[in-house]
Structure formats: structure tokens, C-alpha cells
Amino acid sequence: MAGSLNSNTESDDLVESHEINVTPFIDVMLVLLIIFMVAAPLATVDINVDLPASNAQAQPRPDEPLYVTVQEDLTVSVGDDAVNHEQLAAALERSTDGDKEARVFLRADKAVAYGDLMTVMNLVRMAGYTKIALVGLDAAPGGAAATTVEPAGEAQP
């Protein structure tokens, strides 16, 4: 309820004004609009990503690297020996003489699905080996394929 003061001394009653002041309402709405305009693009989760090729410098390989290989038919091999998923931990123990700090080089056929590769990586992690490097091929400038090793970092248990 708004009122106005007149210099009329005849009446002691204040006259009501029937106008609404919308300026604060507009200010609040503009602030909310700006907040949603900034926050809406940040809230998107489904983004199609075309991942770039890695151009990181290749890491030097150890004298006797321990390769875990996932073939197209999902056969897993430790070194040159094919093993079952259940026997992977024991095969890693034998190959590293129980050294859990040994780096494991994980390589997979490009036809292997990402989920299957992650399953094998999780099995290696559950066996206690947290230093896992991913092995891939990068096209060299001359067109020949060169092997690169990308350290995946230390996996979180």
C-alpha cells in the first residue's frame, strides 16, 4: 500500500497510489537471467568429443617390459602367455616376482571395446599394480607407425 503526500491541508488522510513499482522486480529478473545464461552451458554433460591424438614425448622403456595384451577376441596375455581373467593376478605375480611397483604396459587391439579394456585395467589394479602405461601407435611424420608409451599415471585403488 503506497501513499503520497499532498500539500492539501484540507484532508488529513493520505491518498493511496495504485501504481506498482516494478523496477526491483525487473532488476531481480535480469540478475536471474544472467545467472542462468552463464550456468546453463556449464551444466551440459552429454558432449560429443573427438579426442586428439597424443603428441607427448615417448617414455623410455625398461630393459624387460611387462606387457599385458588384450587381443581382438578378448584373449588376455601376460608377456607371451595367454591367461584367463581369473589367473591374471597370479600371472602378474609370477612375472614381476611380487614387485607391485613394477610398471605394467597395457596394450590392446584397436577393435577392443573401451569397456573391455577398462575391465582388464581394473583387474590389473585389483591385483595391486597401480603403475599402468598404455601403449599405442602414432603415425610418424614419414607415414610409418611408431610405438609410443603413454603413462596412465598411478591408478587410484
Side-chain angles (χ1 to χ4, degrees), residues 82-154:
V83 295
N84 293 332
H85 285 203
E86 297 83 21
Q87 299 169 345
L88 182 60
L92 288 170
E93 287 282 331
R94 282 192 306 272
S95 297
T96 62
D97 295 326
D99 181 16
K100 302 285 184 182
E101 294 298 314
R103 185 168 300 275
V104 176
F105 293 91
L106 182 60
R107 58 185 178 180
D109 191 279
K110 65 181 177 181
V112 174
Y114 182 72
D116 296 327
L117 179 64
M118 288 304 297
T119 300
V120 174
M121 186 181 250
N122 285 334
L123 290 172
V124 172
R125 274 189 28 221
M126 287 188 303
Y129 297 90
T130 57
K131 293 184 177 180
I132 302 171
L134 301 176
V135 180
L137 294 178
D138 281 341
T147 304
T148 60
V149 176
E150 298 295 327
E154 299 208 8

Side-chain angles (χ1 to χ4, degrees), residues 16 26-27 50 151:
E16 292 183 9
I26 292 172
D27 290 343
D50 185 18

